[in-house]
Amino acid sequence: MTETIVKLADLVKPAAVAAPFVLSDEERHEIEHELSHYPDSRAASIEALKIVQKHRGWVSDEAIPVIAAAINISAADLEGVATFYNLIFRRPVGRHVIKVCDSISCHLTGYEELRDGLIEHLGVRLGGTTPDNRFTLLPICCLGACDRGATLMIDDDLHGPVEPAQIKALLEAYP
Amino acid sequence: MSLRSAADPHYQRPLTRLIDRAAGPLDLPGFEAENGYSSLKKSVREYTPQQIQAIVKDANLRGRGGAGFPAGVKWSLVPMGPDAGEKYLVCNADEMEPGTFKDRLLMEQAPHQLIEAMILVGYAIQATRGYIFLRGEYIVAADRLNKALAEARAAGYVGKNVLGSEWSFELFVHTGAGRYICGEETALINSLEGRRANPRAKPPFPQIAGLWGRPTVVNNVETLMNVPHIVLNGADWFKGLSQGKSKDAGTKMYGCSGRANKTGTWELPIGTTARELLEVHAGGMRDGKKLKAWLPGGASTDFLLPEHLDLAMDFDTIAKAGSRMGTGLIAVVAEDQSMVSAVRNLEEFFARESCGWCTPCRDGLPWSVKILRAFEAGQGQAEDLDVLAKLTKWLGPGKTFCAHAPGAMEPLQSALKYFRHEFEAGLAKPAKAA
């Protein structure tokens, strides 16, 4: 029988030390600009998260206390906000984010066929990212373009109506 | 056809008169050349805030966000006077009600109309600041509103001493980060403060204690945009816009989505029938199919039937038929589309978008989804039809903090009422005797 010696120092040592998160000058400047829009700094929390996400693609756990300090609220409060809103990404996403509308008007005009076509073409499920890191596929609430169902957004661009047969050509514009 | 070049001398479509989608929105000089900001100038120079409130109250402008609450009455609850302190005006531009796509058009194509309206209503309630709460996905609208706002600020319409008056007003565009619940006015206020968008208990109402605890008015985009026209042309003119089709006043941004031939949104006299929307403006159902059911104004309204098409689309008439006009943009279900599947889609939406604050909504909505999925798959249990009926009561008005769950129950209860046979067809077949 082998004896395992557990050293206390090993138990409390962090597994891996990640590089500390630092806001870039540009991010800090943009957050400060947003702060000027509100009498209470907490109100800038969503904009601050969006600013970091704009520059880095997503918001990591390490970013939360740093952003929270920049707007002078607790990290726990900011974490609560960051996990509430679906447009704040807490995991890395692909270079392009596809948001496919799954609300009633698009349901009536071909959402399920479009969703299945995207899943088949990309080989990922809703919430997944392609292995080449090119696309992340997400469902989204009504995009306010119901007269053009079925709709989807790729990054900042709205498309609709989109037929499953058009998926391949449409995605080619997003390398 | 360009609506702008066909400018109606009778001004019958005030909200969309200047819209020309091909040409894009007017810049400040273009808007001013079309009488833009003249209503604001008239208001600040000739009217007291109380006079403007009285005009809008007299005009019977009802909230276009879905609830139909009279805007003038809403404003009248705001404390006025020199000691009232900081007050806020918030535009609810979080258009996320499934089936609704009117505010996007108005903001993308007529951004200055909203900026002028915000300043004017800000003056009417003597607000110190205004925020346009815009949903995060409306990228084009954000860009155009910010551009229009910068032009208005440079021209002295926004900022210190608006148009040389004693009154100062700051205005900002605030963009969201998703979640349907942000459209609920107290959840919107929490979100604007940088919190999770859970609704607040009422009272106190936002007009007394809203944003940062101060008196706050929250109005929808379309509601606000009507105000400059009402002030400029008078309450009687506004009442005349409905052309006798309704007791309600003004025009309404109507629309149609689903499998119709020419889906879109149109500004028409309030009280226009749903039949006119579907058969004239939307060109009827696609592929010669028959209409089976329709939602009058968003996901959170009760389904109606083809026999209801001749009702006037106004708040009271649609309410009498057992539904709500909601946002007034109809969604049509064709004869060969499944009601169980449509309701399952609607309840999945509501379940996902519940903020989780109160139990009936957080737990009841996923329960309804589970049952509906079973019926859709032909695995429904007879007693679950009773459970669905009970859920429409347990999640109904008065059981929750806000209107999210009661709204979610509206399409479900009406589908159960009108299409029970479709649910029964989804009952599991009894197992064959061995």
Side-chain angles (χ1 to χ4, degrees), chain B residues 79-138:
Chain B
M80 298 293 284
D83 302 327
E86 289 277 315
K87 288 185 278 186
Y88 303 112
L89 172 66
V90 179
C91 172
N92 187 342
D94 193 56
E95 181 172 67
M96 230 183 277
E97 181 68 31
T100 304
F101 47 103
K102 63 184 178 71
D103 296 340
R104 174 203 281 278
L105 173 81
L106 292 172
M107 291 186 289
E108 287 184 356
Q109 300 296 338
H112 270 295
Q113 189 167 232
L114 181 58
I115 304 292
E116 182 186 8
M118 282 292 288
I119 307 166
L120 203 167
V121 176
Y123 176 75
I125 62 164
Q126 290 289 286
T128 46
R129 271 170 186 257
Y131 290 95
I132 298 172
F133 188 108
L134 183 68
R135 66 177 294 195
E137 295 92 337
Y138 278 13

Side-chain angles (χ1 to χ4, degrees), chain B residues 303 338-344 368 371-376 378-382 384-385 388 411-429:
Chain B
F303 280 105
S338 159
M339 292 305 295
V340 176
S341 169
V343 175
R344 185 265 306 155
S368 75
I371 293 171
L372 289 165
R373 283 180 182 159
F375 276 94
E376 194 179 11
Q379 301 296 321
Q381 302 297 313
D384 278 346
L385 275 175
L388 285 178
L412 175 59
Q413 70 194 10
S414 49
L416 286 168
K417 179 167 78 178
Y418 295 128
F419 300 99
R420 195 177 170 89
H421 55 281
E422 289 198 28
F423 289 85
E424 284 165 351
L427 288 168
K429 305 282 174 286

Side-chain angles (χ1 to χ4, degrees), chain B residues 12-64:
Chain B
Q12 296 298 297
R13 293 191 169 100
L15 304 179
T16 53
R17 185 178 69 95
L18 300 179
I19 289 180
D20 178 344
R21 291 190 210 211
L26 293 169
D27 62 3
L28 182 63
F31 185 63
E32 286 174 326
E34 292 281 357
N35 241 3
Y37 290 97
S38 57
S39 185
L40 174 66
K41 287 176 190 159
K42 184 177 179 180
S43 300
V44 173
R45 288 171 186 160
E46 295 175 28
Y47 292 128
T48 64
Q50 286 81 357
Q51 282 174 316
I52 294 169
Q53 291 192 19
I55 293 168
V56 172
K57 207 170 180 174
D58 182 33
N60 189 26
L61 169 63
R62 298 180 68 174
R64 276 14 181 190

Side-chain angles (χ1 to χ4, degrees), chain A residues 37-38 50 85 142-143 147, chain B residues 104 131 135 174 176 195 263:
Chain A
H37 291 179
Y38 310 98
K50 285 169 71 169
Y85 296 97
C142 179
L143 288 170
D147 50 340
Chain B
R104 174 203 281 278
Y131 290 95
R135 66 177 294 195
H174 173 101
R195 302 171 195 277
T263 49

